[in-house]
Amino acid sequence: ENLNSPEVLKARLATLCKAWASVHPSVSDLVLINGKDETVVGEKTSAVHFWLFGVELADTALIIHRATSSLTVVSAQKKLDALAPFGSIVRGIPKSVDDNGQVPGVKQVVDSFRPGASVGVVERELAVQKGDAAQTWRAVASGKVTEVDVSVAVSVALGPKSPEELKICGQAAMMAVRVVQDILVGTVEEVVESGESQTHDAISQMAFAVVEDDSPYIDKWNKESGLNLLDGDVVFATVQSGSDCVLKVSAPAKDTPLDPQCILVGVGTKYLDYGATLIRTLIIDPSVDQRETYLVLLEVLDAAVAALRPGKTLGSVYDAAWARVTAAKRPELEAAFPAIIGYAQGLEFRDQVYSLRSGEKQVVEQEMVFAVVVGFQGLSTVLHTGKQTTYSLWVADTIAVRATCNETLTAAVSKAKGDCMYFLDTDENGAVTAPAPAPARAQAPPSKTPARRSSRGKTNEAAPPPRRSARNQRQETLINFEELKQLEVKQKQLRQKKVQEMMAWFRQLDQSSNGDQSGQEAALSFASLSAYRDPDAFPAGVRRNRVALDKDNFSLLIPIHGWHVPFHVAVIKNVATTEDADGAVMRVNFVTPETPAQEKMFPPLEDPSVMFAKEISLRSRDSKHLQLIMKSIRECQKKYKDHCSTPGGFTPSAPLQPRRGPQIQMTNLLIRPVVGRGRILGTLSAQQNGFRWFSQGQPPVEILFTNVKHAIVQIAHSDNIVLLHFCLKQPIMVNKKRTAEIQFYKEVGTVVEELEKRNKRSMDPDEILDEAEEERQKQALNVTFEDFCKKVESATDCGFKFDAPFRELSWQGVTHRSIVEVSPCRDCVVALHEWPGFVLSIPEIEVVYFERVDFSLKSFDMVVVKKPMAGKYEAKPVMITGIPSTHMVKVKEWMSEMELVWYEGKDSLNWNLLMKEPNKDLRKFCLEDRSWDGILNDDTEDQEQEEDEEDAVDPDSVYEESDDTDTSDDESVESEDESSAEEVSSGEDWDALERKADKADREDAKRRAQQTEAPPAKRQRQQRAAAKPRGRR
């Protein structure tokens, strides 16, 4: 039942013959003998069996004849009967053994060769094969024929994959992703968090156990990812840590305890005999050196993948990776880099003919699959504890070489620094974090009067917290500046990388359009107006001489001379119908090249005599039919517009299929946008291919899984709302309005405040009970929503995972009208508490610009420019305004972790004019103006420093002067403290003294910020002015 079709066998047989003819033209026949000992594995021989037949034939001799593109198979009669569907392509010789222990069929094949003929074999595998057929060949063929190793030719033939093979490779990669995510990484995280001891071998054995018959993952992964683990296998599973790591996929896991610092996890899988490789490195409390080295390793991997293009040699791929290693100017990395950084994959898990190493002359071909494996072995670093340790870094991905750009099949397991590094005892800057203090007992509010001491010297009442001195405030400011400086260093690298990406993107766009961008747009528009790809798609049953509308193919069928001629609805400008005594007339106006707005839709015409239909009038006695056609055309045009605006051409008209089995639903949910009048409660249920919200007396709201772009669950913390938010790829109709944002939510407690409770005491028993009940309801709702999401992911084929906001990374800002909490998620940035909701997809972000960045202002604005669609930028970027300046470092740190490029400036820009610049001349913008870096990167400070270089003072003198100023400031603070003590005795209360001290600190900090912000020449003038004697006020 797993056999290939005769057509597939014939095509692949021709490909194999062509490959070995180009490498070994003198070889006329190819002999592949597969033994019967399963311990002896011949990967190329088995791969050819699977590739040609779809099954492996053990204890079989396979002879391929290039002249006739046919096969001779010497095997048992039962296996020959299974090959009967291939017909005359396969000639079978029943296998038998004579008295001498030899196979007559193999001797017959050898006798058919002319003496001294060149016969292709796989030498390395044939020499170790066991069985009667292999022994007979070695005894009979020796000295009669010349054996030629054709391993390279077999690899060349099996290298490029068909679409069906690439799909299976993707499934093998998905299996590797699930093993690493669900088993290896999950187990390692549990071991590290619990602190228990676990061996490397015990963790790796968990990966091998997924394909056993009693594995709990068989049904789970089949439902979630469509994987049948009975068709899969685990080739290797590696878990390594400590100083004895070996960067080889064949290295076995050791029976030693896990070292919870730098851990290597990886797996090699086979699905339907096609292989995939995935390796990741997990680092706990990394040192600064480890973080920098890991970033270098990711850049090395990106360089290798970028160089892995059709027509390039494998040696050039290695050279590109090596160039990035040497660019780091760290000799220890060069010594730790492996000599081989990958291999081709497919039916042969590791094809050594296509190894990514220096000097390799084999050429990369389109639709090949490679495992790119890079790492550094045996590096040393000093941890935050002061201990010196040896560690290794290792990362691998499975890459499919495509025509336009490579596809990472294992990209679902992130290798970004923020996802592979864990900070338990340190923060992200490498500083040791103090343990969280124990919760203190509730105390009465502190008195406004100074604390007094009793005769025993103990404080009777809690004193107010000590105020921060000006020196402490300056120290905090310097720390923030240091963090921003580190972020700027990384941003320079990201900006340069973005410039290169924009150049590569435009060159690819320019190459696909042959240098004519407008021509490309026209070609795309014209190509999309194909009514029917072939005659079989034409609808059947259309009445003769009657106009009809094919809604599925967006075509208007107009009868002309007895034949229906299709017109795509996109070329229809407008439709009008007029009635008279004899019936009705429908006039259809078409778009022509003379229409200015649609001129680019038509490609340049070689024949100037070509004519376009501008208008067609149709008369019918059935006026109702023409009215119905006119209405249907307008609806079909709207539907086609939505169809084109969605990537992949999502079709929303697919029916919602009911789910069999236990129902997955939540009741009493409110919906946004509002349906009907008032607050209407409904039930949200998960069906087989989507969601349905329904309420009595209201039309149901249906959301298909394929139409979900982002699914976010936000549980209640300090707020009193729990919600599910869906951002859709294509808008749907809700309450007779189109919307792409739908939210289902539930509120906790009462929304209305009772005025009579305002005068009650804060410790009122009833109020305490109400708060406790509200907290209990909140926790129950959180559990309900989370369980609903888990059930949807595990029990349905939704194809996505629910995202959740990271509340600790949130900041405040204005997305629409009011101030809301903006929270980053895994794949998007959201603000969902207020309606309408705000959802910004992270992969769509091109660059970010911070406006009004000034230390004298309390807030700044953030402008997000989205990536271009169809070669054009949107007219208006996304803006989040009114972000407090205290959140600046947090926002920038998160964006740097996500490798987003940002710029900043003191002024607000005119984005209506600025967004028109790239669309005017995209070539000049990407190649000459350095894209957004040339527009938004502000180098005015450097220019001012060059202009004022003559007036700038010696930095040492400035620092000495500033140190003196700091000393005087400290003395002034001490004098303020002394005077404050005198004022206390003179009768001034404690609150007044606190207000004076805070005012003095704010003025001092503001003066310091202005001096730090000023250019050198201006700062010098301020210092000279400060040094002049002043009169006492």
Side-chain angles (χ1 to χ4, degrees), residues 175 178-179 209-212 215-222 226-233 270-271:
M175 180 179 175
R178 297 307 301 265
V179 172
V210 299
V211 294
E212 295 180 358
S215 172
Y217 299 97
I218 293 179
D219 295 333
K220 185 175 185 294
W221 290 359
N222 190 11
L227 295 175
N228 185 5
L229 291 183
L230 300 178
D231 295 330
D233 191 14
K270 272 198 166 186
Y271 192 82

mmCIF file of all heavy atoms in Angstrom, residues 175 178-179 209-212 215-222 226-233 270-271:
data_model
loop_
_atom_site.group_PDB
_atom_site.id
_atom_site.type_symbol
_atom_site.label_atom_id
_atom_site.label_comp_id
_atom_site.label_asym_id
_atom_site.label_seq_id
_atom_site.Cartn_x
_atom_site.Cartn_y
_atom_site.Cartn_z
ATOM 1 N N MET A 175 8.237 17.116 14.027
ATOM 2 C CA MET A 175 8.451 16.103 15.056
ATOM 3 C C MET A 175 9.657 16.469 15.917
ATOM 4 O O MET A 175 9.620 16.337 17.150
ATOM 5 C CB MET A 175 8.653 14.744 14.399
ATOM 6 C CG MET A 175 8.881 13.620 15.390
ATOM 7 S SD MET A 175 9.075 12.023 14.574
ATOM 8 C CE MET A 175 9.486 10.991 15.987
ATOM 9 N N ARG A 178 8.615 19.245 18.332
ATOM 10 C CA ARG A 178 7.817 18.803 19.471
ATOM 11 C C ARG A 178 8.674 18.053 20.493
ATOM 12 O O ARG A 178 8.466 18.180 21.702
ATOM 13 C CB ARG A 178 6.671 17.906 18.989
ATOM 14 C CG ARG A 178 5.651 18.589 18.076
ATOM 15 C CD ARG A 178 5.090 19.865 18.692
ATOM 16 N NE ARG A 178 4.449 19.641 19.950
ATOM 17 C CZ ARG A 178 3.139 19.446 20.112
ATOM 18 N NH1 ARG A 178 2.349 19.444 19.061
ATOM 19 N NH2 ARG A 178 2.619 19.276 21.315
ATOM 20 N N VAL A 179 9.634 17.255 20.026
ATOM 21 C CA VAL A 179 10.496 16.528 20.956
ATOM 22 C C VAL A 179 11.331 17.502 21.782
ATOM 23 O O VAL A 179 11.454 17.370 23.006
ATOM 24 C CB VAL A 179 11.396 15.534 20.196
ATOM 25 C CG1 VAL A 179 12.427 14.930 21.136
ATOM 26 C CG2 VAL A 179 10.562 14.434 19.566
ATOM 27 N N ALA A 209 11.739 7.548 23.894
ATOM 28 C CA ALA A 209 10.518 6.852 24.305
ATOM 29 C C ALA A 209 9.265 7.365 23.611
ATOM 30 O O ALA A 209 8.203 6.750 23.743
ATOM 31 C CB ALA A 209 10.350 6.967 25.829
ATOM 32 N N VAL A 210 9.340 8.476 22.871
ATOM 33 C CA VAL A 210 8.126 9.027 22.264
ATOM 34 C C VAL A 210 7.569 8.133 21.163
ATOM 35 O O VAL A 210 6.382 8.207 20.844
ATOM 36 C CB VAL A 210 8.383 10.448 21.702
ATOM 37 C CG1 VAL A 210 8.792 11.391 22.795
ATOM 38 C CG2 VAL A 210 9.424 10.420 20.604
ATOM 39 N N VAL A 211 8.408 7.286 20.558
ATOM 40 C CA VAL A 211 7.952 6.440 19.456
ATOM 41 C C VAL A 211 7.583 5.037 19.927
ATOM 42 O O VAL A 211 7.277 4.177 19.096
ATOM 43 C CB VAL A 211 9.036 6.360 18.364
ATOM 44 C CG1 VAL A 211 9.242 7.709 17.721
ATOM 45 C CG2 VAL A 211 10.366 5.850 18.940
ATOM 46 N N GLU A 212 7.614 4.793 21.230
ATOM 47 C CA GLU A 212 7.203 3.493 21.735
ATOM 48 C C GLU A 212 5.681 3.368 21.685
ATOM 49 O O GLU A 212 4.951 4.353 21.636
ATOM 50 C CB GLU A 212 7.713 3.301 23.163
ATOM 51 C CG GLU A 212 9.246 3.258 23.249
ATOM 52 C CD GLU A 212 9.732 3.062 24.674
ATOM 53 O OE1 GLU A 212 8.869 3.001 25.582
ATOM 54 O OE2 GLU A 212 10.959 2.960 24.874
ATOM 55 N N SER A 215 3.537 5.259 24.272
ATOM 56 C CA SER A 215 3.874 6.667 24.447
ATOM 57 C C SER A 215 2.609 7.511 24.591
ATOM 58 O O SER A 215 1.669 7.382 23.788
ATOM 59 C CB SER A 215 4.694 7.180 23.257
ATOM 60 O OG SER A 215 4.875 8.581 23.338
ATOM 61 N N PRO A 216 2.554 8.408 25.601
ATOM 62 C CA PRO A 216 1.360 9.268 25.743
ATOM 63 C C PRO A 216 1.286 10.363 24.688
ATOM 64 O O PRO A 216 0.281 11.064 24.611
ATOM 65 C CB PRO A 216 1.547 9.865 27.148
ATOM 66 C CG PRO A 216 3.023 9.851 27.365
ATOM 67 C CD PRO A 216 3.542 8.635 26.662
ATOM 68 N N TYR A 217 2.357 10.529 23.908
ATOM 69 C CA TYR A 217 2.382 11.605 22.922
ATOM 70 C C TYR A 217 1.795 11.186 21.574
ATOM 71 O O TYR A 217 1.645 12.026 20.689
ATOM 72 C CB TYR A 217 3.818 12.092 22.701
ATOM 73 C CG TYR A 217 4.460 12.656 23.940
ATOM 74 C CD1 TYR A 217 5.294 11.883 24.733
ATOM 75 C CD2 TYR A 217 4.219 13.970 24.335
ATOM 76 C CE1 TYR A 217 5.873 12.391 25.882
ATOM 77 C CE2 TYR A 217 4.793 14.489 25.481
ATOM 78 C CZ TYR A 217 5.625 13.688 26.251
ATOM 79 O OH TYR A 217 6.190 14.204 27.381
ATOM 80 N N ILE A 218 1.477 9.919 21.390
ATOM 81 C CA ILE A 218 0.998 9.451 20.083
ATOM 82 C C ILE A 218 -0.319 10.134 19.726
ATOM 83 O O ILE A 218 -0.461 10.730 18.642
ATOM 84 C CB ILE A 218 0.858 7.917 20.089
ATOM 85 C CG1 ILE A 218 2.244 7.262 20.204
ATOM 86 C CG2 ILE A 218 0.150 7.444 18.826
ATOM 87 C CD1 ILE A 218 2.198 5.738 20.242
ATOM 88 N N ASP A 219 -1.294 10.071 20.626
ATOM 89 C CA ASP A 219 -2.587 10.703 20.344
ATOM 90 C C ASP A 219 -2.498 12.219 20.445
ATOM 91 O O ASP A 219 -3.123 12.943 19.655
ATOM 92 C CB ASP A 219 -3.639 10.175 21.321
ATOM 93 C CG ASP A 219 -3.898 8.683 21.134
ATOM 94 O OD1 ASP A 219 -3.688 8.199 20.010
ATOM 95 O OD2 ASP A 219 -4.300 8.019 22.095
ATOM 96 N N LYS A 220 -1.736 12.707 21.399
ATOM 97 C CA LYS A 220 -1.654 14.153 21.624
ATOM 98 C C LYS A 220 -1.059 14.869 20.412
ATOM 99 O O LYS A 220 -1.617 15.843 19.910
ATOM 100 C CB LYS A 220 -0.812 14.424 22.871
ATOM 101 C CG LYS A 220 -0.735 15.883 23.292
ATOM 102 C CD LYS A 220 0.019 16.008 24.614
ATOM 103 C CE LYS A 220 0.005 17.449 25.128
ATOM 104 N NZ LYS A 220 0.737 18.357 24.275
ATOM 105 N N TRP A 221 0.063 14.393 19.925
ATOM 106 C CA TRP A 221 0.707 15.061 18.786
ATOM 107 C C TRP A 221 -0.058 14.823 17.494
ATOM 108 O O TRP A 221 0.042 15.622 16.562
ATOM 109 C CB TRP A 221 2.143 14.584 18.654
ATOM 110 C CG TRP A 221 3.031 15.071 19.773
ATOM 111 C CD1 TRP A 221 2.657 15.866 20.811
ATOM 112 C CD2 TRP A 221 4.418 14.793 19.960
ATOM 113 N NE1 TRP A 221 3.723 16.101 21.641
ATOM 114 C CE2 TRP A 221 4.821 15.461 21.141
ATOM 115 C CE3 TRP A 221 5.361 14.059 19.271
ATOM 116 C CZ2 TRP A 221 6.134 15.410 21.625
ATOM 117 C CZ3 TRP A 221 6.668 14.007 19.734
ATOM 118 C CH2 TRP A 221 7.039 14.666 20.901
ATOM 119 N N ASN A 222 -0.780 13.718 17.426
ATOM 120 C CA ASN A 222 -1.585 13.480 16.232
ATOM 121 C C ASN A 222 -2.701 14.508 16.119
ATOM 122 O O ASN A 222 -3.010 15.020 15.032
ATOM 123 C CB ASN A 222 -2.156 12.064 16.280
ATOM 124 C CG ASN A 222 -2.799 11.674 14.964
ATOM 125 O OD1 ASN A 222 -2.646 12.355 13.963
ATOM 126 N ND2 ASN A 222 -3.541 10.591 14.973
ATOM 127 N N GLY A 226 -0.852 16.764 13.753
ATOM 128 C CA GLY A 226 -1.077 15.846 12.639
ATOM 129 C C GLY A 226 0.047 14.853 12.431
ATOM 130 O O GLY A 226 0.239 14.350 11.317
ATOM 131 N N LEU A 227 0.821 14.552 13.478
ATOM 132 C CA LEU A 227 1.951 13.636 13.371
ATOM 133 C C LEU A 227 1.524 12.235 13.798
ATOM 134 O O LEU A 227 0.952 12.054 14.873
ATOM 135 C CB LEU A 227 3.112 14.106 14.247
ATOM 136 C CG LEU A 227 3.779 15.431 13.870
ATOM 137 C CD1 LEU A 227 4.826 15.800 14.911
ATOM 138 C CD2 LEU A 227 4.417 15.349 12.495
ATOM 139 N N ASN A 228 1.801 11.255 12.967
ATOM 140 C CA ASN A 228 1.595 9.859 13.311
ATOM 141 C C ASN A 228 2.942 9.289 13.733
ATOM 142 O O ASN A 228 3.798 8.984 12.892
ATOM 143 C CB ASN A 228 1.023 9.087 12.129
ATOM 144 C CG ASN A 228 0.683 7.653 12.489
ATOM 145 O OD1 ASN A 228 0.792 7.245 13.648
ATOM 146 N ND2 ASN A 228 0.274 6.875 11.504
ATOM 147 N N LEU A 229 3.164 9.175 15.040
ATOM 148 C CA LEU A 229 4.470 8.751 15.538
ATOM 149 C C LEU A 229 4.808 7.327 15.144
ATOM 150 O O LEU A 229 5.973 6.928 15.260
ATOM 151 C CB LEU A 229 4.516 8.901 17.060
ATOM 152 C CG LEU A 229 4.505 10.352 17.579
ATOM 153 C CD1 LEU A 229 4.620 10.363 19.094
ATOM 154 C CD2 LEU A 229 5.624 11.156 16.957
ATOM 155 N N LEU A 230 3.830 6.555 14.686
ATOM 156 C CA LEU A 230 4.138 5.220 14.180
ATOM 157 C C LEU A 230 4.961 5.290 12.905
ATOM 158 O O LEU A 230 5.645 4.311 12.552
ATOM 159 C CB LEU A 230 2.843 4.444 13.946
ATOM 160 C CG LEU A 230 1.951 4.233 15.180
ATOM 161 C CD1 LEU A 230 0.687 3.485 14.791
ATOM 162 C CD2 LEU A 230 2.705 3.490 16.274
ATOM 163 N N ASP A 231 4.906 6.415 12.205
ATOM 164 C CA ASP A 231 5.713 6.618 10.996
ATOM 165 C C ASP A 231 7.016 7.353 11.291
ATOM 166 O O ASP A 231 7.749 7.687 10.359
ATOM 167 C CB ASP A 231 4.917 7.417 9.954
ATOM 168 C CG ASP A 231 3.704 6.660 9.466
ATOM 169 O OD1 ASP A 231 3.761 5.410 9.455
ATOM 170 O OD2 ASP A 231 2.704 7.301 9.098
ATOM 171 N N GLY A 232 7.276 7.673 12.565
ATOM 172 C CA GLY A 232 8.458 8.437 12.927
ATOM 173 C C GLY A 232 9.460 7.616 13.703
ATOM 174 O O GLY A 232 9.186 6.513 14.178
ATOM 175 N N ASP A 233 10.654 8.183 13.830
ATOM 176 C CA ASP A 233 11.723 7.537 14.572
ATOM 177 C C ASP A 233 12.669 8.618 15.069
ATOM 178 O O ASP A 233 12.795 9.690 14.448
ATOM 179 C CB ASP A 233 12.470 6.530 13.697
ATOM 180 C CG ASP A 233 13.403 5.643 14.511
ATOM 181 O OD1 ASP A 233 13.264 5.626 15.754
ATOM 182 O OD2 ASP A 233 14.271 4.971 13.920
ATOM 183 N N LYS A 270 13.346 11.112 12.131
ATOM 184 C CA LYS A 270 12.965 10.651 10.799
ATOM 185 C C LYS A 270 11.461 10.452 10.777
ATOM 186 O O LYS A 270 10.896 9.833 11.685
ATOM 187 C CB LYS A 270 13.681 9.345 10.444
ATOM 188 C CG LYS A 270 15.030 9.532 9.789
ATOM 189 C CD LYS A 270 15.478 8.281 9.074
ATOM 190 C CE LYS A 270 16.649 8.558 8.150
ATOM 191 N NZ LYS A 270 17.008 7.371 7.325
ATOM 192 N N TYR A 271 10.850 10.981 9.738
ATOM 193 C CA TYR A 271 9.412 10.826 9.551
ATOM 194 C C TYR A 271 9.187 10.338 8.130
ATOM 195 O O TYR A 271 9.573 11.012 7.162
ATOM 196 C CB TYR A 271 8.679 12.135 9.790
ATOM 197 C CG TYR A 271 7.183 11.983 9.901
ATOM 198 C CD1 TYR A 271 6.592 11.595 11.099
ATOM 199 C CD2 TYR A 271 6.351 12.211 8.812
ATOM 200 C CE1 TYR A 271 5.221 11.446 11.223
ATOM 201 C CE2 TYR A 271 4.978 12.059 8.917
ATOM 202 C CZ TYR A 271 4.417 11.682 10.120
ATOM 203 O OH TYR A 271 3.061 11.532 10.225
#
